[in-house]
Amino acid sequence: MKNFLDIDDIPAIDSWIGEAIEMKKQQHENSNVGKFKTIGLLFFNASLRTRLSTQKAAQQLGMEVMIMNVTKESWKLEYEDGSIMNVDTVEHVKEAAKVISQYCDIIGIRAFPKLIDKQEDESEIIIRSFAKYATVPVLNMESATAHPLQAITDAMTITELKIKNKPKVVLQWAPHPKALPQAVPNSFVKIMKQMNVEFVITHPQGYALNTNVTNGVTIMHDKSEALKGADFVYVKNWSSYQEYGQVLTQDSSWMLTQEDLKITSQAKVMHCLPVRRNVVIADEVLDSPHSVVEKQAYNRTYAAQMIIKKLLDYEK
Ligand code: CP
């Protein structure tokens, strides 16, 4: 695997999930795999889990880690080919990606969408430009449309905690005051489609995700109907895809409460975090044994460790 940009880059989901779970059991088994290698983590946006878990994953493989908050600490980059750079961009990604490749053996990128122009966001100009011009593998740490490290984590968590062969997993939209990307739900849908689960998405009218992603998945607008018998409820907000980037409703009846859980099969509640308490999920749920959000976040390290090892193996 030259780059890890999306779930589609994984050739065998089940065995890769199994490898990540195995790494969690044998945390220090691969502590020399990345010796004398360096990973550079470039953040165009804020992070808590991705930054710390990816750093820890690389360190557990014996790698050196360099981190840069690009928007605050580096030059403003240009991505357009042939542009006359006489306004505010100082350095072209062509040079930047090649130069960073001389310092790093893997480059991780986090670059969110602007949620203004769908076509621009879907072009994934930042991560795809780095993938094009870097001479080392590029790792997606959440781009405009995908968060594959989170999806691997989520699949690991379901695999570890399921008590039946084919659990019912519900992806439930929830309200949020700000417009959030579709990256997490997109990648979660992609990975669930490849797992042995009964998968349902529930959201209000106007919140359908990209149909190229959700095609073939059951979608319900009645939350209660969707939650019936659920073994896992993955709660997540996203902004509208059709009315691109808009917040169409903040209907609080879509917040997940204990009352909602009564119709589930003692569901485990998931969220990628950060979560706004009592807006997205009620305190009573997050503070109950139903919540597995911290277990989920713990798995971020081992999802990243498995993928970084794959990228290092490619170089051999
Ligand atoms: N879930 C996730 O990616 O968390 P951060 O935004 O804190 O990295």
Side-chain angles (χ1 to χ4, degrees):
M1 185 172 57
K2 160 76 167 74
N3 299 307
F4 182 62
L5 303 183
D6 205 349
I7 291 302
D8 312 323
D9 292 323
I10 304 178
I13 294 281
D14 286 342
S15 74
W16 284 33
I17 299 297
E19 284 180 50
I21 291 171
E22 205 47 44
M23 277 190 163
K24 185 174 166 183
K25 291 179 191 153
Q26 313 284 342
Q27 292 184 18
H28 303 291
E29 190 138 286
N30 297 290
S31 57
N32 278 325
V33 167
K35 203 172 173 189
F36 305 126
K37 302 274 185 185
T38 299
I39 189 167
L41 306 180
L42 307 184
F43 286 89
F44 292 79
N45 304 95
S47 169
L48 186 153
R49 278 144 291 276
T50 304
R51 177 172 169 160
L52 297 179
S53 64
T54 310
Q55 179 169 4
K56 183 165 183 193
Q59 287 169 338
Q60 289 191 161
L61 293 169
M63 300 184 83
E64 296 294 329
V65 183
M66 297 198 290
I67 299 178
M68 181 178 268
N69 288 307
V70 181
T71 36
K72 290 191 188 130
E73 296 169 353
S74 187
W75 306 112
K76 187 164 177 153
L77 293 177
E78 177 63 54
Y79 298 94
E80 291 301 323
D81 215 8
S83 68
I84 298 166
M85 292 168 53
N86 61 357
V87 186
D88 61 342
T89 53
V90 179
E91 177 161 19
H92 203 283
V93 67
K94 288 183 184 183
E95 282 81 42
K98 286 178 193 158
V99 168
I100 296 166
S101 300
Q102 296 177 112
Y103 308 143
C104 301
D105 301 280
I106 296 174
I107 303 173
I109 309 273
R110 165 165 281 204
F112 290 172
K114 293 185 191 140
L115 292 175
I116 296 166
D117 180 334
K118 185 189 286 188
Q119 206 176 348
E120 182 187 324
D121 288 343
E122 291 190 336
S123 76
E124 293 276 18
I125 188 81
I126 297 180
I127 197 157
R128 293 211 173 270
S129 298
F130 272 93
K132 182 173 176 185
Y133 297 116
T135 57
V136 297
V138 169
L139 168 65
N140 187 342
M141 300 195 299
E142 189 172 347
S143 65
T145 65
H147 196 357
L149 287 177
Q150 181 66 51
I152 295 171
T153 303
D154 302 334
M156 279 176 75
T157 308
I158 290 169
T159 303
E160 288 177 316
L161 297 178
K162 69 179 183 180
I163 52 173
K164 58 175 82 146
N165 189 37
K166 188 174 181 178
K168 179 173 178 183
V169 178
V170 179
L171 171 62
Q172 185 210 303
W173 180 93
H176 196 284
K178 290 195 165 174
L180 298 189
Q182 295 104 23
V184 168
N186 281 345
S187 293
F188 185 68
V189 172
K190 283 188 178 185
I191 208 160
M192 284 304 107
K193 282 169 78 171
Q194 295 191 51
M195 289 183 67
N196 185 31
V197 296
E198 181 192 344
F199 184 49
V200 176
I201 304 174
T202 183
H203 58 71
Q205 297 283 355
Y207 279 94
L209 292 162
N210 184 344
T211 50
N212 291 332
V213 175
T214 58
N215 105 61
V217 177
T218 303
I219 296 167
M220 295 180 174
H221 299 301
D222 181 336
K223 182 179 73 156
S224 301
E225 200 55 40
L227 290 179
K228 268 186 198 159
D231 299 292
F232 292 89
V233 183
Y234 195 117
V235 191
K236 182 72 185 91
N237 170 268
W238 59 88
S239 58
S240 175
Y241 182 73
Q242 295 101 310
E243 293 184 51
Y244 193 65
Q246 299 299 303
V247 175
L248 305 178
T249 177
Q250 294 194 46
D251 180 355
S252 61
S253 71
W254 280 86
M255 174 176 77
L256 188 75
T257 63
Q258 277 289 4
E259 194 59 30
D260 292 323
L261 291 179
K262 286 182 185 162
I263 51 174
T264 69
S265 181
Q266 290 294 314
K268 295 176 176 61
V269 175
M270 302 175 68
H271 190 283
C272 60
L273 302 181
V275 63
R276 291 195 183 219
R277 281 174 169 256
N278 304 311
V279 175
V280 176
I281 304 177
D283 273 344
E284 68 209 24
V285 175
L286 284 166
D287 295 332
S288 80
H290 286 281
S291 172
V292 297
V293 297
E294 285 105 6
K295 281 193 174 80
Q296 210 179 328
Y298 182 57
N299 281 339
R300 287 295 306 269
T301 301
Y302 304 100
Q305 200 169 315
M306 181 271 289
I307 291 293
I308 293 169
K309 183 172 179 297
K310 298 275 182 200
L311 293 173
L312 287 170
D313 286 346
Y314 175 83
E315 289 293 281
K316 283 181 191 157

